[in-house]
Amino acid sequence: MRKILFVCLGNICRSPLAEGIALHLVKEQGIKNIVIDSAGTANYHVNEAPDHRTTSNALKHGIDLSSLRARQFKKGDFDAFDEIYVMDENNLKNALKLAETNSHKEKLKLLLSIGDFGRLDVPDPYYGTENDFEKVFQLVYKAIKELINVKN
């Protein structure tokens, strides 16, 4: 069974978007034996729904995030997940502080490092405009398609 975790800062914009897109594509493709979750390195929004702008933007693309709730990334996630994809360098540094072994460290990757995106950080749209949320959606969608090897 493949177990994937997506991580950002508060777990209300980028990582729940990645989780929602992955869940949507996995269901659409009929992929079985996969666990997908998301978390934030900070505890600002624990148990909150994703940001309404993220939710609204995802829904425009047919992806429903309404059942997702924020949680904080924890040490136990290193043992619970095989692959951990972080949205940016700052959160990668935060996650690395919790890594206790080389095996833990090796599980951490920047989401955009899996493809040729011309950048490594998924920008945080929190203080941005609706257009910023759409740009983040497009970046994350392309990365998730590549990550789970979606056939078009």
Side-chain angles (χ1 to χ4, degrees):
M1 173 151 323
R2 188 175 181 193
K3 299 174 187 170
I4 302 171
L5 180 66
F6 300 104
V7 180
C8 69
L9 181 62
N11 193 214
I12 60 166
C13 291
R14 297 169 292 173
S15 58
L17 177 63
E19 178 184 0
I21 290 170
L23 289 169
H24 175 82
L25 292 174
V26 161
K27 182 178 179 183
E28 187 177 81
Q29 298 287 309
I31 298 170
K32 306 285 186 217
N33 297 322
I34 190 166
V35 173
I36 298 164
D37 196 6
S38 65
T41 58
N43 65 355
Y44 308 137
H45 303 286
V46 171
N47 294 322
E48 289 182 21
D51 184 284
H52 67 93
R53 297 163 297 174
T54 296
T55 302
S56 174
N57 187 271
L59 208 49
K60 286 191 316 191
H61 297 281
I63 297 170
D64 183 4
L65 306 178
S66 64
S67 66
L68 304 181
R69 294 295 175 266
R71 73 173 184 85
Q72 189 170 14
F73 181 74
K74 57 191 183 299
K75 286 181 185 180
D77 288 326
F78 286 109
D79 295 323
F81 293 91
D82 308 309
E83 304 167 54
I84 303 172
Y85 294 96
V86 184
M87 299 299 142
D88 60 51
E89 289 281 351
N90 284 334
N91 286 295
L92 178 61
K93 289 175 191 168
N94 291 337
L96 279 168
K97 289 176 189 172
L98 295 177
E100 296 178 330
T101 66
N102 283 335
S103 173
H104 289 172
K105 291 175 186 174
E106 290 168 4
K107 290 182 181 188
L108 289 166
K109 295 177 179 60
L110 289 167
L111 178 63
L112 297 186
S113 70
I114 62 172
D116 183 21
F117 292 95
R119 63 182 314 145
L120 290 180
D121 285 357
V122 175
D124 189 345
Y126 188 78
Y127 293 106
T129 65
E130 189 174 319
N131 191 40
D132 295 316
F133 282 85
E134 178 61 24
K135 286 178 184 175
V136 166
F137 179 91
Q138 294 301 327
L139 262 179
V140 172
Y141 187 82
K142 288 175 187 169
I144 301 300
K145 278 180 66 173
E146 194 159 325
L147 176 66
I148 62 173
N149 199 20
V150 169
K151 309 285 189 263
N152 285 13

